[in-house]
Amino acid sequence: MEYSFTELLWLFLIYSTLGWIFEAVVGTIKNKRFTNRGFSTGPFCIIYGFSAVTMQVTLADLTDNPIFLFLGCGIQATAIEWFAGKILERLNRHKWWDYSNKRWNFDGYICLEYTLLWAILGTLTVRYGNTFFLFLYKLIPEPVPAVITWVLAAYVCLDSAVSLAAVFHLRRTGKGKREHSGTISSKLYRAARTVIGYVERRMAKAYPVIEEKSEEILKEGKFAEGCGFYKLFWLFLIGAFLGDITETIFCRLTAGVWMSRSSLVWGPFSIVWGLAIALATVLLYKDREKPDRHIFLIGTLLGGAYEYACSVFTEIVFGQVFWDYSGIPFNLGGRINLLYCFFWGIAAVVWIKLLYPRFSGWIERIPKIAGYIATWILVVFMAADIIVSAAALIRYDQRAGGSAAKSGWEQIIDENFDDDKIKQIYPNAKQR
């Protein structure tokens, strides 16, 4: 059964709320006082909503096989929990939760005990919960449920933005140093600072460790120092270019043909590789001194999860299947296979241990002013390239369904990126 985007958004909000209730009950019992443990201030724990929707989109076909569904839910939820923990740690440079005292834990963020719990909850969600909550959705007369869903979604976005601002402020100031300007003239700014201050206090009560001043001090003076936006963007750009070149050469050596492997209509860039390099850097930056086997295991698991997510996303959004591993042993739905997951693990070790230090040093040698100017020019170019590429793929899928160009942008896309052009850029793409 296929769901509309609004219905998936409804499920996201439902499970975010249920997750918040679960976390609030656990936190309140543990701390013996009411504790809001969500990232956002409102009654939403978005990691639960994201996990539930992801499971529904990717694992719904396994409802007739409860064993594989159970395993898939457990693995997927555990991977998402690890991702979330590492990302939050990168935001604030502290762990927001720590399972190091539990048996069979990994990195302090995940453990077997909770993997089994997530597997049970995920199985119940996919097999029974979604059907029930969508039944409730359709019980409400239209357009009331859609309006409610989108209003709440907008609130969650705003709430999350404020919470993110609070995290960055805590990261900068540390404990007991919340800055309030004495020369503020704007009532709007004062109101915003009041809200952020409230969010900071709420987060500090739920996760006291995030108020502690981090010992990690970034140097000043060089372009793209540390692991911030500028460094990650250049790594994304380099990874996208090198990934495209690598895949092109690999296809030539294995298939005997030169084949375009680009994700974009302008330039040799593979977005999957670029994002993988940026994400690997964010998630493994603090673990770069750990043993190779640790990095390999993380790379294997998360690389497979990442490739699977990319496959599902592109098929849902663009109606295209860009790769199919059905003919390779030990594959999962043709989206990933065990051999290539091992390649991700090897790539993670090679990247974070050998290549990242060199690329990082080269990027930091770029003159600061030239680096800032070049970065933003390239940001604008890449944004335009991604938008045009997405529009070209959407129209390619629409034309396959017999939809003629109606608006101006559709006519422009059809004139510049007809079916022959798209097949040349994306030779492996096929409609669902």
Side-chain angles (χ1 to χ4, degrees), residues 104-212:
W104 308 104
N105 79 86
F106 179 76
D107 211 23
Y109 284 119
I110 57 177
C111 65
L112 181 61
E113 175 184 335
Y114 284 112
T115 294
L116 295 175
L117 175 61
W118 304 145
I120 294 171
L121 293 177
T123 301
L124 294 175
T125 294
V126 176
R127 296 199 70 179
Y128 309 109
N130 296 336
T131 302
F132 173 73
F133 289 121
L134 286 172
F135 170 75
L136 293 181
Y137 178 90
K138 293 175 180 178
L139 265 179
I140 308 173
E142 289 289 355
V144 175
V147 172
I148 293 174
T149 298
W150 283 101
V151 169
L152 288 177
Y155 168 76
V156 170
C157 290
L158 179 61
D159 193 359
S160 298
V162 173
S163 299
L164 190 62
V167 168
F168 279 118
H169 189 253
L170 279 169
R171 165 176 166 166
R172 186 178 70 251
T173 60
K175 185 175 181 178
K177 294 183 179 180
R178 296 187 181 92
E179 299 169 345
H180 297 278
S181 172
T183 60
I184 296 174
S185 58
S186 169
K187 292 182 179 180
L188 181 61
Y189 185 82
R190 284 201 302 270
R193 283 300 312 129
T194 300
V195 172
I196 291 176
Y198 166 75
V199 176
E200 289 175 9
R201 292 189 293 274
R202 195 270 304 169
M203 285 183 172
K205 289 180 180 178
Y207 306 96
V209 71
I210 67 174
E211 269 201 320
E212 297 174 6

Side-chain angles (χ1 to χ4, degrees), residues 14 48 76 101 106 115 121 132 175 177 197 249 278 332 339 347:
I14 290 289
Y48 284 84
Q76 197 168 92
N101 61 339
F106 179 76
T115 294
L121 293 177
F132 173 73
K175 185 175 181 178
K177 294 183 179 180
I249 295 174
L332 181 59
L339 176 62

Side-chain angles (χ1 to χ4, degrees), residues 222-392:
K222 293 183 179 179
F223 171 71
E225 192 88 30
C227 190
F229 167 77
Y230 291 98
K231 175 69 65 61
L232 291 174
F233 175 77
W234 279 90
L235 292 176
F236 160 78
L237 196 68
I238 293 169
F241 174 76
L242 293 181
D244 180 88
I245 300 301
T246 301
E247 287 203 15
T248 300
I249 295 174
F250 181 78
C251 285
R252 180 68 179 87
L253 294 175
T254 57
V257 295
W258 291 108
M259 181 187 302
S260 170
R261 303 298 296 167
S262 178
S263 304
L264 304 177
V265 296
W266 297 325
F269 300 107
S270 175
I271 297 299
V272 172
W273 278 93
L275 288 176
I277 289 296
L279 281 173
T281 304
V282 169
L283 297 174
L284 298 175
Y285 180 73
K286 292 194 69 176
D287 295 340
R288 61 191 183 279
E289 303 301 329
K290 291 187 176 181
D292 292 353
R293 61 181 179 276
H294 178 93
I295 305 297
F296 174 79
L297 180 59
I298 293 177
T300 299
L301 295 176
L302 297 184
Y306 169 73
E307 188 173 16
Y308 193 99
C310 288
S311 175
V312 172
F313 175 81
T314 53
E315 183 175 342
I316 291 175
V317 175
F318 304 122
Q320 308 294 319
V321 178
F322 287 92
W323 60 85
D324 187 352
Y325 302 142
S326 299
I328 300 177
F330 304 106
N331 75 84
L332 181 59
R335 302 184 188 279
I336 59 174
N337 66 82
L338 186 60
L339 176 62
Y340 286 7
C341 286
F342 287 156
F343 286 167
W344 282 110
I346 295 170
V349 175
V350 172
W351 170 251
I352 206 68
K353 293 287 188 178
L354 300 177
L355 299 181
Y356 170 75
R358 291 174 173 78
F359 281 106
S360 177
W362 294 337
I363 293 171
E364 291 176 5
R365 292 176 187 174
I366 300 174
K368 290 182 68 174
I369 300 301
Y372 294 139
I373 294 173
T375 298
W376 287 106
I377 291 175
L378 289 169
V379 166
V380 172
F381 168 75
M382 291 300 291
D385 202 356
I386 291 171
I387 292 171
V388 173
S389 301

